């Protein structure tokens, strides 16, 4: 019976009724989402325009492993690049995603890398909207999508066929499941906890940089919730899963739990981030754009003033990624420019909230002005 009841929703009269019941603001919101989506995706379609698809980033580094996996049916434990012959330290989730889609479709991993870049970029669009809507509301989410579409840094990292793109999906998706879990009282291992654990585990196998970002964000959020056992465990449980899954992979691949021997850590790979670009640094404003920072400040102020539930999850996202972006000040000196992408992603969310707050303020002022105006 339920199947037939759901089919009734497809009745033309029902559809007409649903559309006619929409108010002007809702219609405008849908139009804005559609316009931003078309703009966002159409630019990413340029990935398919190259002679070799795609050519930007370390595509061949990953495609080599992917092709060998398809040919042999086994994920190689030895690197092929850099003269090969040493343990494959790279986590496998992104590569196996490409391999699985290539095996299913018969499309070569090189071409599939381009197709999956478009699909994953679209997923970033969706998860930013879902997280922002769950935190504040649909209007703030639309504003966040505007900043996402305009962001230079996010544009760069959503057209590159790299594991970090999958990380830009899985990281906020993990936070979304924590945000969505609104259960009060004693901690319960419910569906959202299970989903956050699964998302954290996939993140652990997606990208080491993303893993570090998620680990620090969850740790900071757990510290802010130390007096709230329920929220504390909502952060700690996926954090434990994240660390355990990665630890198991590294023991399997490198036969050690230490990350100090990984070349990028050992030789301090990464470029410092300053406000403006130079010969020795990446420019924050070049990557983030000029508009998002002031709106982010307004968004953070609005969140605190309105005591928005779970606002500390967003604060933790901003603080942790800022610390990682400037880890050179702590003497760590790794991947500062890559961590910047996740900091920008946090600013897009709070910037969207800030833009929503400004629009809300203007709407209230205009409404009061209309009410005070004498009737004519």
């Amino acid at each position: 019976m339920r199947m037939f009841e759901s089919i009734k929703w497809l009745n033309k009269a029902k559809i007409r009724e649903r559309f006619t019941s929409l108010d002007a603001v809702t219609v405008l919101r849908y139009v804005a989402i559609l316009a931003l989506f078309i703009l966002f995706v159409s630019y990413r379609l340029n990935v398919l325009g190259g002679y070799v698809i795609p050519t930007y980033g370390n595509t061949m580094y990953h495609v080599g492993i992917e092709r060998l996996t398809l040919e042999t049916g086994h994920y190689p434990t030895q690197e092929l690049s850099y003269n090969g012959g040493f343990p494959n330290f790279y986590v496998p989730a992104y590569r196996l995603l490409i391999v699985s889609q290539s095996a299913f479709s018969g499309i070569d991993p090189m071409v599939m890398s381009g197709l999956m870049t478009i699909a994953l970029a679209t997923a970033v669009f969706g998860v930013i909207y879902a997280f922002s809507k769950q935190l504040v509301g649909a209007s703030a989410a639309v504003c966040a999508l505007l900043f996402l579409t305009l962001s230079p840094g996010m544009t760069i990292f959503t057209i590159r066929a790299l594991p970090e793109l999958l990380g830009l999906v899985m990281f906020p998706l993990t936070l979304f499941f924590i945000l969505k879990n609104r259960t009060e009282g004693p901690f319960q291992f419910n569906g959202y906890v299970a989903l956050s654990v699964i998302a954290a585990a996939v993140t652990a196998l997606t990208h080491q940089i993303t893993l570090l970002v998620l680990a620090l964000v969850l740790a900071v959020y757990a510290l802010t919730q130390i007096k709230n056992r329920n929220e504390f465990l909502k952060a700690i449980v996926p954090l434990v899963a994240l660390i355990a899954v990665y630890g198991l992979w590294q023991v399997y691949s490198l036969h050690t739990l230490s990350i100090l021997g990984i070349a990028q850590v050992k030789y301090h790979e990464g470029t410092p981030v300053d406000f403006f670009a130079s010969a020795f640094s990446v420019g924050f404003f070049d990557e983030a754009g000029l508009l998002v920072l002031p709106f982010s400040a307004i968004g953070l102020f609005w969140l605190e003033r309105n005591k928005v539930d779970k606002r500390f999850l967003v604060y933790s996202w901003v603080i942790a990624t800022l610390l990682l972006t400037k880890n050179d000040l702590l003497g760590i000196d790794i991947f500062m420019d890559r961590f910047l992408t996740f900091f920008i992603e946090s600013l897009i969310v709070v910037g969207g909230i800030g833009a929503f707050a400004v629009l809300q303020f203007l709407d209230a002022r205009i409404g009061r002005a209309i009410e005070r105006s004498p009737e004519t």
Side-chain angles (χ1 to χ4, degrees), residues 67-184:
R67 284 178 173 164
L68 184 61
T69 303
L70 278 171
E71 290 168 5
T72 64
H74 300 284
Y75 188 80
T77 57
Q78 296 287 310
E79 279 285 0
L80 304 180
S81 303
Y82 309 108
N83 205 33
F86 58 94
N88 184 355
F89 73 92
Y90 222 106
V91 283
Y94 172 80
R95 291 166 169 177
L96 293 180
L97 174 65
I98 303 298
V99 167
S100 64
Q101 297 306 303
S102 292
F104 176 77
S105 65
I107 298 174
D108 183 79
M110 177 61 85
V111 179
M112 182 55 68
S113 296
L115 296 174
M116 287 307 301
T117 296
I118 298 168
L120 291 173
T122 304
V124 172
F125 187 94
V127 76
I128 290 294
Y129 177 82
F131 183 91
S132 302
K133 182 181 179 182
Q134 183 63 32
L135 182 66
V136 173
S139 296
V142 173
C143 294
L145 292 181
L146 175 63
F147 285 119
L148 172 63
T149 304
L150 296 176
S151 171
M154 290 297 289
T155 298
I156 291 170
F157 280 94
T158 53
I159 61 172
R160 299 182 70 177
L162 292 176
E164 187 167 343
L165 178 52
L166 180 58
L168 288 170
V169 177
M170 295 309 305
F171 162 66
L173 185 63
T174 308
L175 299 188
F176 170 76
F177 291 135
I178 296 172
L179 180 64
K180 187 77 173 174
N181 190 356
R182 303 281 182 171
T183 56
E184 302 292 339

Side-chain angles (χ1 to χ4, degrees), residues 92-347:
Y94 172 80
R95 291 166 169 177
L96 293 180
L97 174 65
I98 303 298
V99 167
S100 64
Q101 297 306 303
S102 292
F104 176 77
S105 65
I107 298 174
D108 183 79
M110 177 61 85
V111 179
M112 182 55 68
S113 296
L115 296 174
M116 287 307 301
T117 296
I118 298 168
L120 291 173
T122 304
V124 172
F125 187 94
V127 76
I128 290 294
Y129 177 82
F131 183 91
S132 302
K133 182 181 179 182
Q134 183 63 32
L135 182 66
V136 173
S139 296
V142 173
C143 294
L145 292 181
L146 175 63
F147 285 119
L148 172 63
T149 304
L150 296 176
S151 171
M154 290 297 289
T155 298
I156 291 170
F157 280 94
T158 53
I159 61 172
R160 299 182 70 177
L162 292 176
E164 187 167 343
L165 178 52
L166 180 58
L168 288 170
V169 177
M170 295 309 305
F171 162 66
L173 185 63
T174 308
L175 299 188
F176 170 76
F177 291 135
I178 296 172
L179 180 64
K180 187 77 173 174
N181 190 356
R182 303 281 182 171
T183 56
E184 302 292 339
F187 175 75
Q188 300 174 21
F189 196 95
N190 57 24
Y192 288 119
V193 174
L195 288 170
S196 69
V197 167
I198 293 169
V202 174
T203 303
L205 296 176
T206 294
H207 195 230
Q208 279 96 336
I209 293 173
T210 311
L211 177 146
L212 290 172
V213 171
L214 182 57
L216 189 56
V217 171
L218 292 178
V220 172
Y221 182 58
L223 288 174
T224 67
Q225 303 299 308
I226 197 77
K227 294 182 179 179
N228 184 339
R229 186 173 184 272
N230 185 22
E231 285 299 317
F232 177 79
L233 289 174
K234 288 176 186 177
I236 287 296
V237 171
L239 176 59
V240 170
L242 178 81
I243 295 171
V245 168
Y246 180 74
L248 288 171
W249 165 258
Q250 187 161 297
V251 168
Y252 167 74
S253 61
L254 298 181
H255 311 295
T256 177
L257 283 172
S258 174
I259 65 171
L260 299 180
I262 295 176
Q264 287 87 340
V265 176
K266 184 177 180 179
Y267 298 109
H268 301 282
E269 181 179 317
T271 306
V273 177
D274 292 322
F275 283 113
F276 300 100
S278 71
F280 307 101
S281 64
V282 171
F284 168 78
F285 289 111
D286 293 329
E287 298 289 320
L290 296 174
L291 287 177
V292 71
L293 191 60
F295 280 105
S296 296
I298 296 170
L300 291 171
F301 174 78
W302 187 91
L303 284 169
E304 187 59 32
R305 184 181 181 186
N306 290 275
K307 305 298 180 186
V308 173
D309 187 31
K310 294 208 175 184
R311 64 192 182 280
F312 284 97
L313 184 59
V314 182
Y315 297 167
S316 301
W317 185 353
V318 174
I319 292 168
T321 52
L322 177 59
L323 285 173
L324 288 169
T325 299
K326 295 302 295 179
N327 72 71
D328 53 316
L329 299 180
L330 304 175
I332 299 173
D333 288 312
I334 57 168
F335 299 126
M336 294 77 70
D337 51 323
R338 303 290 288 276
F339 288 127
L340 174 63
T341 310
F342 294 92
F343 180 50
I344 292 171
E345 195 173 28
S346 74
L347 295 183

